[in-house]
């Protein structure tokens, strides 16, 4: 079968940005920043994006474009008979783990969208939004229903094909989300006590860096947010033809993704302090804070509808990129049809998500890693272990398996002023940093 291709470089850019921008920028970013003490963590995160994330993004997309294959196939094609392709399997496993819980959280967002549409969440409930959120996520059937619905949408878009399915949502709703976030940031900054939130986010308290788990959290967040290490960007890159130039595109994706994260921080933290909620409240943070903001602001109900709609669609453009990784793999290896591959892999992810969702309530006593519930454990293994490991393999692959000339050619850096610095980063600095952060983490688990 012919492999699909993006219609244009814009098509690729939109899809890759759509993949990067999602729940990771808003939901995950804000609670992880909150849990890790704010400003100093933010600086570590930004450093990880700049020094490790963006150079790796270029590497990952380039490997895919050169090989024109899925995450396992790309390594096999460029290094036949060598063990590199094992990193591809880590990617496939990570895609199952991540989309398993990602779809549950996206389901929460859909549920909020629905409840704003019906007006249910307009006014602050007597028990407060925190209580409403907790009773929803700890219940059995409701979250599973929305998780299932979200997965059905994801499967449907992936089975209709990469291009056709993806482009529409991104063109309309990414700008919508950006505009809403800017608006909300302005409002949030005007709240009484907002400055304390601004200080939390931007004024580093360096003492939080004494805790070794902060480093891996920053690295994991950078990988998660940029969709790195799984093979998502490799797979998307494999649908690119040779005439497009990559370095500018990857820097653009990095800037865009960071922009969304920082603006969400400016929305969330001033409000966290204004409404006197603990910044380290965990994964429920945005689902408790945002409704509080909407309830106070003029036309808040309408803003709530639009916000959760845009957030859900941003989540869909990310979830399809995750599902595409195993689908592309199974289509090639098992000769499955796109339809069959999407349904089978999506259903397995749905099942994993059931465990994650029940782990918020009835199964909360099950803590596979430390005191982490099922969802946090899936996230930890995927984001903080499998993704950095995948990224390490990609950096070593392009830095040591390729010759220097091959590496420059694959990335379109041959005539670029930045080629030597990129090469230095990818060959030495990125691998060394990832290994150091890993070793550091071994002490905590
Ligand atoms: N980056 C997306 C987000 O921020 C999620 C995502 C999509 C992802 N593809 C990925 C995360 C691959 C890790 C790996 O919401």
């Amino acid at each position: 079968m012919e492999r699909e291709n993006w219609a244009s470089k814009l098509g690729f850019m939109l899809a890759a940005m759509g993949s990067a921008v999602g729940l990771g920028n808003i939901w995950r970013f804000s609670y992880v920043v909150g849990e890790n003490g704010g400003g100093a963590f933010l600086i570590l995160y930004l450093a990880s994006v700049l020094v490790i994330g963006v150079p790796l993004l270029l590497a990952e997309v380039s490997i895919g474009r050169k090989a024109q294959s899925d995450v396992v196939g790309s390594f096999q094609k460029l290094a036949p008979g060598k063990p590199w392709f094992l990193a591809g399997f880590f990617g496939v496993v990570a895609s199952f783990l991540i989309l398993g819980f990602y779809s549950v959280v996206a389901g929460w967002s859909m549920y909020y969208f629905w409840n704003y549409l019906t007006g249910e969440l307009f006014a602050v409930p007597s028990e407060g939004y925190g209580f409403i959120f907790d009773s929803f996520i700890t219940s059995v059937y409701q979250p599973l229903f929305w998780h299932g619905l979200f997965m059905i949408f994801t499967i449907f878009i992936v089975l209709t094909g990469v291009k056709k399915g993806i482009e529409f949502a991104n063109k309309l709703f990414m700008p919508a989300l950006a505009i809403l976030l800017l608006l909300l940031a302005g409002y949030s900054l005007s709240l009484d006590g907002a400055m304390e939130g601004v200080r939390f986010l931007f004024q580093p308290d360096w003492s939080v860096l004494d805790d070794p788990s902060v480093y891996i959290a920053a690295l994991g967040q950078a990988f998660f947010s940029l969709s790195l290490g799984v093979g998502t960007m490799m797979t998307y890159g494999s649908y690119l033809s040779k005439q497009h130039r990559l370095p500018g595109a990857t820097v653009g994706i990095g800037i865009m993704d960071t922009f969304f994260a920082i603006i969400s921080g400016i929305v969330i933290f001033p409000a966290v302090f204004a409404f006197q909620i603990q910044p380290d409240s965990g994964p429920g943070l945005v689902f408790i804070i945002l409704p509080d903001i909407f309830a106070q602001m003029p036309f808040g109900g309408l803003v709530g509808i639009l916000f959760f709609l845009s957030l859900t669609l941003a989540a869909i453009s990310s979830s399809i990129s995750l599902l595409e990784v195993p689908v592309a793999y199974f289509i090639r290896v098992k000769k499955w049809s796109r339809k069959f591959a999407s349904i089978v892999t999506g259903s397995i992810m749905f099942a994993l998500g059931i465990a994650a969702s029940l782990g918020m309530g009835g199964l909360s006593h099950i803590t596979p890693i430390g005191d982490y519930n099922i969802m946090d454990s899936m996230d930890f293994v995927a984001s903080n272990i499998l993704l950095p490991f995948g990224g390490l393999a990609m950096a070593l692959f392009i830095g040591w398996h390729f010759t220097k000339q091959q590496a420059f050619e694959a990335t379109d850096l041959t005539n670029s002023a930045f080629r030597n610095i990129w090469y230095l980063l990818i060959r030495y600095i990125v691998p060394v940093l990832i290994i150091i952060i890993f070793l550091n983490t071994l002490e905590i688990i």
Side-chain angles (χ1 to χ4, degrees), residues 19-25 98 102 223-228 230 232 257 318-319 321-322 387:
S19 170
V21 175
L23 295 169
N25 303 64
I98 295 177
Y102 198 86
F223 272 87
F224 191 95
S225 195
L226 292 170
S227 303
L228 282 177
V230 161
T232 295
D257 189 65
S318 302
S319 65
S321 74
L322 276 161
L387 303 191

Side-chain angles (χ1 to χ4, degrees), residues 157-177:
I157 297 180
V158 172
L159 68 77
T160 58
V162 205
K163 259 192 334 227
K164 273 175 294 175
I166 295 173
E167 294 196 19
F168 90 102
N170 290 338
K171 274 194 193 135
L172 195 59
F173 285 96
M174 282 235 293
L177 188 63

Side-chain angles (χ1 to χ4, degrees), residues 365-383:
H365 56 282
I366 301 181
T367 51
I369 296 181
D371 57 356
Y372 288 167
N373 65 22
I374 300 178
M375 185 184 286
D376 292 345
S377 302
M378 285 162 78
D379 189 357
F380 184 87
V381 171
S383 311

Side-chain angles (χ1 to χ4, degrees), residues 315-385:
I316 289 199
S317 58
S318 302
S319 65
I320 53 183
S321 74
L322 276 161
L323 185 55
E324 185 65 22
V325 170
V327 165
Y329 169 72
F330 286 121
I331 290 178
R332 178 181 61 87
V333 172
K334 301 253 189 249
K335 306 274 180 290
W336 289 351
S337 67
R338 173 165 278 279
K339 187 170 168 188
F340 186 71
S342 312
I343 294 176
V344 170
T345 47
S347 304
I348 298 172
M349 290 163 173
F350 174 68
L352 286 170
I354 293 179
S357 181
L358 295 179
M360 307 304 294
L363 299 184
S364 58
H365 56 282
I366 301 181
T367 51
I369 296 181
D371 57 356
Y372 288 167
N373 65 22
I374 300 178
M375 185 184 286
D376 292 345
S377 302
M378 285 162 78
D379 189 357
F380 184 87
V381 171
S383 311
N384 293 1
I385 299 176

Side-chain angles (χ1 to χ4, degrees), residues 39 189 193-203 265-266 269-270 273:
L189 286 172
M195 277 323 285
E196 210 179 325
V198 174
R199 274 195 294 274
F200 178 81
L201 186 60
F202 293 114
Q203 207 174 68
I266 300 177
F269 288 103
F273 286 88

Side-chain angles (χ1 to χ4, degrees), residues 95-378:
S95 75
F96 278 91
L97 287 176
I98 295 177
L99 192 48
F101 74 80
Y102 198 86
S103 167
V104 174
V105 179
W108 299 349
S109 167
M110 266 171 98
Y111 170 84
Y112 271 59
F113 166 59
W114 175 251
N115 280 286
Y116 269 99
L117 209 55
T118 60
E120 200 72 35
L121 286 173
F122 277 19
V124 187
S126 52
E127 313 90 336
Y129 285 115
F131 178 82
I132 298 285
F133 176 74
D134 278 334
S135 43
F136 165 61
I137 60 161
T138 52
S139 68
V140 177
Y141 297 108
Q142 282 222 8
L144 291 184
F145 168 79
W146 294 101
H147 160 50
L149 194 60
F150 182 83
M151 194 58 92
I152 289 173
F153 285 143
T154 303
I155 292 174
F156 182 76
I157 297 180
V158 172
L159 68 77
T160 58
V162 205
K163 259 192 334 227
K164 273 175 294 175
I166 295 173
E167 294 196 19
F168 90 102
N170 290 338
K171 274 194 193 135
L172 195 59
F173 285 96
M174 282 235 293
L177 188 63
I179 292 168
L180 283 169
L181 282 172
L182 285 170
L183 187 99
L184 287 169
Y187 185 77
S188 204
L189 286 172
S190 77
L191 293 167
D192 272 348
M195 277 323 285
E196 210 179 325
V198 174
R199 274 195 294 274
F200 178 81
L201 186 60
F202 293 114
Q203 207 174 68
D205 163 9
W206 299 111
S207 70
V208 304
L209 302 186
D210 294 344
D211 178 354
S213 68
V214 169
Y215 300 85
I216 190 75
L219 185 70
Q221 177 60 24
F223 272 87
F224 191 95
S225 195
L226 292 170
S227 303
L228 282 177
V230 161
T232 295
M233 292 297 185
M234 198 183 284
T235 308
Y236 273 11
S238 78
Y239 303 133
L240 264 177
S241 48
K242 187 61 195 164
Q243 66 265 29
H244 306 300
R245 290 180 49 79
L246 296 182
T250 48
V251 171
I253 295 165
I255 291 175
M256 181 71 122
D257 189 65
T258 307
F259 167 81
F260 272 91
I262 300 222
I263 303 295
S264 340
I266 300 177
V267 174
I268 301 298
F269 288 103
V272 162
F273 286 88
F275 297 121
Q276 296 176 357
I277 290 170
Q278 292 303 323
D280 59 353
S281 311
L285 193 64
V286 298
F287 291 95
I288 300 167
I289 287 293
L290 288 168
D292 267 322
I293 304 180
F294 299 154
Q296 279 218 352
M297 71 190 298
F299 304 106
L302 180 64
V303 177
I305 298 175
L306 293 175
F307 184 86
F308 283 108
L309 176 63
S310 310
L311 182 62
T312 305
L313 289 160
I316 289 199
S317 58
S318 302
S319 65
I320 53 183
S321 74
L322 276 161
L323 185 55
E324 185 65 22
V325 170
V327 165
Y329 169 72
F330 286 121
I331 290 178
R332 178 181 61 87
V333 172
K334 301 253 189 249
K335 306 274 180 290
W336 289 351
S337 67
R338 173 165 278 279
K339 187 170 168 188
F340 186 71
S342 312
I343 294 176
V344 170
T345 47
S347 304
I348 298 172
M349 290 163 173
F350 174 68
L352 286 170
I354 293 179
S357 181
L358 295 179
M360 307 304 294
L363 299 184
S364 58
H365 56 282
I366 301 181
T367 51
I369 296 181
D371 57 356
Y372 288 167
N373 65 22
I374 300 178
M375 185 184 286
D376 292 345
S377 302
M378 285 162 78

